[in-house]
Amino acid sequence: MLANHYAISQQVTYRGMVWLLAAQLVVMLPFAFYLPIWLIPVMLISSYWRFRVLKGESAQPKLFVRLLVVALGIAGVLLSGMTLLSLDTMVSLLLLGFAFKSLEAVRQRDALVVVFIGFFLVAISFLFSQSIPAGAYGVISLIILTGALIANQQSPAQQISRYATRSSLKMASMMLFQCLPLMVLVFIFMPRFSPLWSIPSFESHAKTGITDSMAPGDIANLSKSDELAFRASFEGRVPQSDELYWRGLVLNNFDGKSWQQLPDEYDTSELKHQLLYNMAWNDARIEIQGDPFKYEVIYEKTGQPWLFTLTPTTKVDGKTIKFGDYRVMSRGDIQSPFMMNAVSYPDSKRDLELSDYARNLALQLPASGDEKTREFARVLRESSLSNADYVEKVLNRFTDQSYFYTLRPPLLGDKDTIDKFLFETQKGFCSHYSGSFVFMMRAAGIPARIVVGYLGGEWSPDGEYLSVRQYDAHAWAEVWLEGEGWRRVDPTSRVAPSRVEGGLEAAVEYEGSFLEGNPFSARNFKWLDGIRKKMDSIQYGWRRWILGYDSESQAGLLKSVLDKMSSIPLAALVGALFLGIFLLWFVMLGLGRRQNYEAYEHQLYRKFCKRLEKHGVLREPQQTPYEFALIASKKLPSRAAAIQDFSSLYQQLCYVPRNGAGRDEPHQKMRRLLREIS
Amino acid sequence: MTQSAQELINLASSQLNHVILGKSNQVRLALTALLAGGHLLLEDLPGMGKTTLAHGLSNVFGLDYKRVQFTSDLLPADVVGATVFDAKTSEFNFRAGPIFSDIFLADELNRATPRAQSALLEAMEERQVSIDGESHHLPDPFFVIATQNPQSQSGTFPLPESQLDRFLLRVSLGYPDQAAERELLKGRHGRGSLEAMQCCISRDQLRAIQARVPKIKMTDALLDYVQRLVGQTREEELALLGLSPRGSMALVRSAQSWALIQGRDHVLPEDVQAVFVAVAGHRIVGRRETQGNQLARHILNTVDVVGGVRV
């Protein structure tokens, strides 16, 4: 029997299996970029194996073989050096299970399980990448999975049709297309609950961007990458290029070679505790002046908690913490694009009084080393009128003497790196200049520290937003002066003013080291500039409106639409909207079914069949009313008379030519008999 | 008419059932074809009683009967006749072939070459033969019973679909059941009793009954059902070749004829079901080499008898 009687316990057909394997490959492919490389051949071999079984070239693997394969797979995952219970391990195991499941998929229900795991995996793939191509690929995967679902539930007669593949694909696309309005509605209105547990971090995600310490050369590495760090858009006042100092980390501790945030090394959560304890944010220590910048930033995924803001940022939203050294951090690591609104008052005075802890931190120097610089600083300070004068003199030294800005500085060795840089090589970039500057300040007893972040960025063609990329990474300094508080000083700007005005590309134009080692970056092809900027603006839209759409934007949207409503009527309204849509949906489904209205006697007869079905007598489609009446009255002797009467009435109505007699009377009789039967 | 049509038909079928034992359904289908004015294709192995059935029919209706064994060297002239020169009168005379009879049995039709086959099939459709520019009308009633071997047998020229379509019904007699065969072995029935049959329906009575067939009434609900069945045979996923309009007309005509034999003045779904496989089995071609009969039975089992259009 076809259609309705085609039970789900049937075997997977050849065509169904081919569909299934195709869907499996499509779903597994994107994971190949993120998980251990050996998973790819394993998945391919498993698919190939199943395909051979399908063709009858090898036997269906026995239970023992299947268990062995699964055990080997699990061992492989455990041995590939991932932490137990991390998300990577779990996804790898799920993928292996997914790949192996088809090996034992014999019945149709197994095939359905494979398809449903496939749907789940498509959702999981978005934990790894949320870019536009990933989204498009996800849609394709969904279509093919749905196609596989359809192909596995078709009757054999439908499957042997010449157009089976095309019709499955067409139907799958149609179904997904029909889901589109619902998807949009759910996207806009579905309440976004915070997860019960946070997504554990991915080990496989390399942490990108700025690291939490700085040795000479670090930032030069970043200059080789044109990866996006974040995008910002401003509301109202727009900053000039020399105001775009995006503060990320503050480095306080120098060990003679590299700069650290704090005297001891901490991991990020301990660091947050330390900072909260010693350097908590305090509104009273900031004297607000001037007009604010109001801006919105969308940070790319970095796997790190650093957020980059203009200094000092007084207001932020979202899951963020402000600290007393004027930096802002995310509460967790940034595993997916993160949107934040902030307000900064760039002209404010910060920390007119310095705490002892901060002062000690900002004066720290290693016990020995770089003696020449210390001596030079002491002499220079003595010949200066004030601390401010001293700062100016140090900066002038960078201008007067022949210092060069270069991304290819000579190596400085392990000891006395500041001495070597200041008095011998005199070639370097921002980390050299800011590091030696802070060292000279501290040597003269002036509190100073290094700030690491990004400088500048590239405005979109319409000036709507600013894209900051990894090569915009920068380090500058802050000195604390009596009566003025913290003042931002960028020694690099004295050596290479073009770094501030025209970005890194302009600053190193003479030596061609921009994006060195990354020859295929689109930035290196000037003629691609237009396309690159266009793509960039599409991606910004995707980030801003699709990925950045969170519970707050949702509330904002609803509020702006529904004016100021409190949350309870709002929730009720959304709920009612949903209910209404579903009701409408069901009604439409029902209407669609009943498009061909049947004559009343047919409807009555169907009711009659339903009643008898409840009594255990099922009518086969090919049974004529007369035949069925015989069977039914035999099985239900107590109702035999009514059944016979009803059937013969129906038969009379349907098949015996009428001679103009009224039709209502037999209908009434039929209704009465129906009541009698039930 | 002294006796009602119903009584006549009952009489005829009971006589036939004496000759062909245990095949009342097939006998009734043969009668259906005859009364509906169509031709009958018997597909069966040799020795199953095809000839006996044909002979019995001619005896019952008092019609004359001729039989031609089709072989691969049979020529069209052997069937329809030829113009021969008469030396005495020095004239060309038409000598009618065996086809000029009321009931014509074409035995093992598919053993003949397509050329000989087509001569017969033309006569079936036109009810006349044209030889040397002269048309010769065939007698009325004209009823062809063709038998063919199952096509898997060697040395056959299968009839093309277009020619199969000319046969109103295709019936298989099949092996007799045990009781019937026992009776046959005892020798009391079968071909021996052919001579004992009486002619119970005259040629005129037969024409009158044939004229009544198209007047058997059909309601909308019944035609709905017929159209559902026909529609299903045209379903692309099931069949390569569905029922043609000629096929669906044949279905209706056969159902009417069957209803008449049952003694009703209207058609019931039962009548349609009774003739559906015989009408559609040789006309439709299923996908994946499904036999027409199987597909027809499958369609019969899945299409709902009750109600309006249901997809």
Side-chain angles (χ1 to χ4, degrees), chain A residues 521-594:
Chain A
S521 161
R523 287 294 306 227
N524 284 339
F525 302 99
K526 291 288 173 216
W527 50 275
L528 278 177
D529 249 24
I531 299 171
R532 186 178 61 78
K533 283 186 174 160
K534 194 91 206 152
M535 289 292 295
D536 208 59
S537 109
I538 292 173
Q539 277 179 359
Y540 173 73
W542 171 260
R543 284 270 184 275
R544 172 68 185 80
W545 298 110
I546 307 291
L547 301 182
Y549 187 82
D550 55 9
S551 53
E552 280 169 46
S553 3
Q554 188 178 40
L557 178 80
L558 289 177
K559 277 232 170 83
S560 71
V561 171
L562 304 168
D563 211 5
K564 279 157 195 155
M565 259 188 154
S566 68
S567 58
I568 293 169
L570 195 70
L573 196 83
V574 171
L577 201 68
F578 264 89
L579 208 69
I581 286 163
F582 277 113
L583 277 178
L584 202 71
W585 199 299
F586 286 133
V587 167
M588 274 165 66
L589 279 179
L591 285 180
R593 261 212 173 148
R594 288 254 164 231

Side-chain angles (χ1 to χ4, degrees), chain A residues 598 619 621-622 624 626 654, chain B residues 219 268 270 273 300 304-305 308:
Chain A
E598 286 185 327
R619 182 180 154 267
Q622 80 273 20
T624 60
Y626 178 70
C654 282
Chain B
T219 58
L268 286 182
E270 281 90 341
Q273 291 184 338
L300 208 51
D304 198 347
V305 178

